[in-house]
Amino acid sequence: MTVDFLCAFLTYKIVRLKYPEGRKPIFAFLVVILSPTVIYNSALWGQCDVIYTTGLIACIYFLSIQKEIPALLSFGVALSFKLQAMFLAPLLLILLLKKRIHWYYLPLIPAVYVVTVLPSWLMGRPILELLLVYFNQANKYKELAKGAPNLYQWIPNNFYNIVVPIALTLTICAIFLLVYIVYKSRLKITQDRLIYLATISVLFMPYILPKMHERYFYPADILSIIFAFYFPRHFWVAIVVQMASFFGYLGTPIFIQLFSIPLGFALWFVVRKCDVIYPKLQAEFSSNIDRKL
């Protein structure tokens, strides 16, 4: 797909911010185009996850150069194509509280969505149905995990009705905890930290949420490549993410289940290495222990 090249180009632009000279941005472009999940998703499966993911990568690029209006418009475009664009929402909430994004620009996001549904409305589809399409899709299937290499691979689907509400509640609590910890940190959100937080956001959400497909890790696949170029010492994170997603596409249950373990470790590692999260979390934990003692 043509959008694959646009996604790779935006990856090139983000990596170019880290390396103004040299060939690393070009290599980043090629890695995206030639990555197995990009090939499987677009060329072999004919899926369009690259479209909303490109919107998310554009959002991150514009955030990187501190242009919040194009960033929010890009996020709005991504959300208009797929609800899974919300995987980047924790990052946006962090930047909102850190005042990198101004609250009065937030209406741009739903405005983009409304504009994108207007053609369908003009063709005769009810406007209420268009506005609530994501809510109506929520109960389309009842599986804890549909090929996604996350922690729900280890829970029998018989517990679906019990696990889903608990998991959604814990996910919301975890997001607010993450946002709170970063907000309380006095460290500035630098470009490197922005990439850390973006990677955590798109990897964390599909890993802890139930009802995920294998394709929902697509944004994490792309962000992990950017992460690898920003932090070459941790390139193995991208390999783990790509391998886990790849076996998800192959649909081999035992490998999907097994790769959920290294993928979970990769998520833990990225969180632990993020200096606006782990030190603060460690300090809060130690403080609570001291109070109890």
Side-chain angles (χ1 to χ4, degrees):
M1 289 177 65
T2 305
V3 186
D4 292 356
F5 289 90
L6 178 57
C7 184
F9 175 72
L10 289 167
T11 300
Y12 164 90
K13 295 286 286 183
I14 294 174
V15 175
R16 176 61 73 187
L17 296 174
K18 177 77 170 181
Y19 306 101
E21 299 179 356
R23 299 180 179 178
K24 288 186 179 180
I26 298 175
F27 293 149
F29 176 94
L30 294 174
V31 170
V32 169
I33 291 297
L34 299 175
S35 65
T37 51
V38 169
I39 294 173
Y40 252 85
N41 191 286
S42 297
L44 296 180
W45 281 23
Q47 296 292 337
C48 59
D49 295 272
V50 69
I51 298 177
Y52 85 91
T53 299
T54 299
L56 297 183
I57 301 302
C59 177
I60 293 168
Y61 171 70
F62 287 121
L63 290 172
S64 299
I65 60 176
Q66 300 188 25
K67 292 187 176 182
E68 57 183 310
I69 293 178
L72 293 176
L73 290 174
S74 298
F75 182 76
V77 170
L79 188 60
S80 299
F81 277 96
K82 204 159 189 176
L83 180 61
Q84 283 67 38
M86 290 298 293
F87 292 165
L88 196 64
L91 172 67
L92 299 183
L93 184 54
I94 288 169
L95 296 180
L96 179 66
L97 294 178
K98 285 284 191 178
K99 298 183 179 180
R100 282 279 296 271
I101 294 175
H102 295 91
W103 64 268
Y104 45 80
Y105 288 132
L106 293 180
L108 289 172
I109 298 173
V112 171
Y113 183 85
V114 171
V115 169
T116 59
V117 302
L118 286 179
S120 297
W121 175 64
L122 293 173
M123 293 297 292
R125 190 168 182 180
I127 187 65
L128 190 61
E129 182 181 328
L130 289 167
L131 295 176
L132 299 178
V133 63
Y134 290 145
F135 294 97
N136 296 331
Q137 290 176 350
N139 294 314
K140 190 173 182 179
Y141 68 92
K142 293 191 175 183
E143 294 180 57
L144 287 174
K146 195 173 179 66
N150 60 15
L151 57 88
Y152 299 99
Q153 287 292 332
W154 300 91
I155 303 176
N157 206 62
N158 296 335
F159 296 99
Y160 175 90
N161 291 328
I162 299 174
V163 172
V164 169
I166 296 174
L168 292 176
T169 302
L170 291 176
T171 299
I172 293 171
C173 293
I175 290 170
F176 281 112
L177 176 62
L178 172 68
V179 172
Y180 172 77
I181 290 170
V182 179
Y183 170 69
K184 295 296 288 186
S185 171
R186 296 183 180 180
L187 296 175
K188 182 181 178 182
I189 305 297
T190 62
Q191 178 61 16
D192 283 3
R193 290 176 183 138
L194 179 68
I195 298 303
Y196 256 110
L197 292 171
T199 304
I200 291 169
S201 186
V202 298
L203 184 56
F204 171 77
M205 294 284 280
Y207 193 80
I208 67 170
L209 277 171
K211 299 167 68 72
M212 296 290 101
H213 288 252
E214 68 286 313
R215 295 181 289 108
Y216 293 175
F217 279 96
Y218 195 96
D221 296 340
I222 305 300
L223 256 298
S224 67
I225 293 172
I226 296 173
F227 181 88
F229 278 91
Y230 265 71
F231 312 103
R233 290 179 58 187
H234 310 320
F235 73 93
W236 61 269
V237 171
I239 295 176
V240 169
V241 174
Q242 291 287 328
M243 290 292 289
S245 285
F246 179 68
F247 279 103
Y249 280 85
L250 292 181
T252 311
I254 184 62
F255 286 115
I256 296 172
Q257 189 176 47
L258 290 176
F259 266 97
S260 68
I261 299 174
L263 188 61
F265 176 79
L267 172 59
W268 170 83
F269 178 85
V270 176
V271 171
R272 189 178 184 278
K273 287 294 181 178
C274 186
D275 60 0
V276 292
I277 297 178
Y278 189 75
K280 183 69 178 177
L281 183 62
Q282 200 172 38
E284 290 284 346
F285 179 77
S286 299
S287 177
N288 290 334
I289 294 295
D290 291 340
R291 289 195 199 101
K292 292 179 180 179
L293 294 176

